[in-house]
Amino acid sequence: MKLRDPIYVTRSSLPPLEEYIGYLRQIWDSHCLTNNGPLVQRLEQELRQYLDAPQLWFVNNGTTALLLALKALNLHGEIITTPFSYVATTGVILWENLTPVFVDVRPGDLTIDPDQIEATITPRTSAILATHVYGFPCDVTAIDAIARRHGLKVIYDAAHTFGCRLDGRHLASYGDISCLSFHATKIFHTAEGGAVVINGDRELTERVRLMRAFGHHGDDHRCIGINGKNSEFHAAMGLCNLPRTAENIAAKRQQHELYHHLLGRAGLDLLFTSAADFEYNYAYCPVLLPSESRLLDTMQQLSTRGIIARRYFYPSLNRLPYLSGNTCPLAESAAARVLCLPMSQQVDDQLIDEIASIVIEASK
Ligand SMILES: *Cc1c(COP(=O)(O)O)cnc(C)c1O
């Protein structure tokens, strides 16, 4: 068999080098590298328009976005959260010395099950931190109603949602705060980066802005802060990539549809949302295999052909070795069996065909 480069689940898209160099020239001319420079401000403006989110700040990564959200909302005690997400979602709660309380997910789309939230609320609960996992929308209406009834804040980990719309609104416009990641592996990226979208009052927006830059204006120190700023170099990457988002989504959609056609026909359990009035970004193609041993076999079969699929997400976060989480049977079962299939410019129809055949065969 002919050797080829390894095929990964994602591969960062890069703009034409010349285009990026054009921005580098601007940076060299201005000598402004960071601290809310002109390119950062321009990207923020373009993101506000794209996301229809007037109150947005560009930050150095999605994890900092989540930390800023927790801090700016002044949360305490217990945070109700999902066990099925990237480790950062639970990590920020622990980092802030808050207590994660896990609520199991719904079958089908693996977002937090709103019907199980109320039973876990205690006098110590201050917020719900849920993930639109794979970009599939949480039941935002139910979660909002619960939060209002109990006086809780709602934060969404919207790291996967760039380009996803529910009821005509970008998913980042839900919750008190939504946090986006623009990491190199995400559908829109700035190499490293993220954004905080504030859907609350201006005062909260101002607090996030202050906290992002050490909590002070000149010599006026107003609140605790952190360095959450991002650089002109990262903003330049974003300015190059943003206009290509629609094109990227269209390419992913084609790959996604082919996987669904081939694997669906073979009766495999493909995860997808059943949300009405939803526009997807097609960023991920997760498939649920019948058992963990079938999953491990499938990964082995794929890797002998240089195809690196990813257990995304594993483990279920309530099982992280450094915490003692309550059990979540559905999330644990899904985490043991879920595989995300490669989708990138490296992947053509023929390769999808090959991957689908291996998955179908190995999962029998
Ligand atoms: C990527 C990701 C993050 C972290 O974002 P970074 O920009 O890498 O810090 C958080 N949550 C989820 C669900 C993610 O996929």
Side-chain angles (χ1 to χ4, degrees):
M1 191 170 54
K2 190 162 66 90
L3 282 176
R4 65 179 166 213
D5 289 341
I7 308 287
Y8 296 101
V9 168
T10 54
R11 185 170 188 251
S12 306
S13 55
L14 282 169
L17 184 56
E18 286 309 313
E19 203 175 307
Y20 191 71
I21 289 173
Y23 285 108
L24 291 181
R25 291 214 166 81
Q26 291 183 37
I27 295 171
W28 257 249
D29 287 345
S30 72
H31 239 266
C32 176
L33 312 188
T34 185
N35 282 3
N36 209 24
L39 298 179
V40 163
Q41 290 184 40
R42 200 173 125 198
L43 180 64
E44 279 180 341
Q45 215 37 52
E46 292 193 9
L47 287 169
R48 286 178 191 125
Q49 266 167 21
Y50 181 90
L51 298 169
D52 197 15
Q55 303 181 94
L56 169 149
W57 304 117
F58 182 45
V59 296
N60 50 15
N61 59 61
T63 307
T64 306
L66 288 164
L67 286 176
L68 286 167
L70 294 175
K71 200 60 116 185
L73 288 167
N74 197 20
L75 301 181
H76 53 81
E78 296 168 0
I79 311 294
I80 291 173
T81 191
T82 178
F84 195 76
S85 184
Y86 184 56
V87 66
T89 316
T90 297
V92 292
I93 296 172
L94 296 170
W95 194 267
E96 286 298 309
N97 281 322
L98 299 164
T99 307
V101 174
F102 295 97
V103 166
D104 210 351
V105 294
R106 305 189 280 194
D109 67 7
L110 305 183
T111 58
I112 197 166
D113 184 353
D115 294 340
Q116 296 187 48
I117 290 178
E118 265 181 312
T120 66
I121 295 174
T122 75
R124 286 175 36 79
T125 309
S126 63
I128 300 167
L129 169 50
T131 301
H132 301 298
V133 71
Y134 307 124
F136 303 156
C138 293
D139 187 339
V140 291
T141 310
I143 291 170
D144 187 56
I146 293 164
R148 277 167 197 266
R149 265 201 301 281
H150 297 272
L152 307 177
K153 299 295 182 190
V154 178
I155 301 164
Y156 285 113
D157 181 336
H160 298 165
T161 66
F162 207 82
C164 292
R165 283 170 195 282
L166 184 66
D167 280 331
R169 284 165 57 187
H170 191 280
L171 267 187
S173 70
Y174 294 89
D176 292 288
I177 294 185
S178 279
C179 299
L180 293 151
S181 167
F182 306 146
H183 182 255
T185 53
K186 307 297 203 265
I187 197 157
F188 163 76
H189 78 85
T190 59
E192 290 276 2
V196 186
V197 172
I198 300 100
N199 301 311
D201 53 34
R202 286 238 140 242
E203 199 191 321
L204 181 60
T205 302
E206 181 57 18
R207 194 151 59 242
V208 173
R209 190 176 73 85
L210 267 167
M211 286 182 161
R212 175 181 70 163
F214 304 103
H216 71 100
H217 270 313
D219 291 337
D220 183 12
H221 289 260
R222 298 196 189 160
C223 60
I224 186 174
I226 197 171
N227 184 357
K229 293 176 277 105
N230 211 337
S231 81
E232 292 291 280
F233 296 85
H234 295 84
M237 183 62 87
L239 288 166
C240 290
N241 286 337
L242 190 58
R244 296 191 168 80
T245 304
E247 197 182 306
N248 282 343
I249 292 175
K252 295 248 183 205
R253 179 178 188 157
Q254 221 184 351
Q255 303 183 341
H256 196 276
E257 284 175 350
L258 186 53
Y259 274 128
H260 270 235
H261 171 70
L262 296 168
L263 297 173
R265 199 169 62 174
L268 269 92
D269 193 355
L270 293 155
L271 295 171
F272 203 62
T273 177
S274 56
D277 210 349
F278 180 65
E279 254 178 74
Y280 190 39
N281 64 7
Y282 300 92
Y284 300 92
C285 187
V287 55
L288 213 47
L289 296 173
S291 67
E292 188 166 24
S293 65
R294 296 296 82 190
L295 169 116
L296 295 172
D297 283 353
T298 304
M299 288 180 77
Q300 175 60 32
Q301 289 295 316
L302 289 169
S303 78
T304 61
R305 290 160 175 86
I307 300 157
I308 317 298
R310 202 172 150 204
R311 302 186 76 174
Y312 201 65
F313 297 96
Y314 178 83
S316 186
L317 298 173
N318 57 308
R319 290 291 176 203
L320 285 169
Y322 44 83
L323 59 76
S324 50
N326 45 299
T327 58
C328 297
L330 281 172
E332 288 169 41
S333 166
R337 297 184 291 125
V338 74
L339 200 62
C340 275
L341 301 173
M343 290 172 67
S344 72
Q345 287 150 343
Q346 266 182 309
V347 179
D348 59 15
D349 287 2
Q350 196 192 332
L351 186 58
I352 290 179
D353 223 68
E354 186 184 333
I355 294 169
S357 303
I358 295 166
V359 173
I360 292 163
E361 201 46 47
S363 63
K364 273 181 185 159

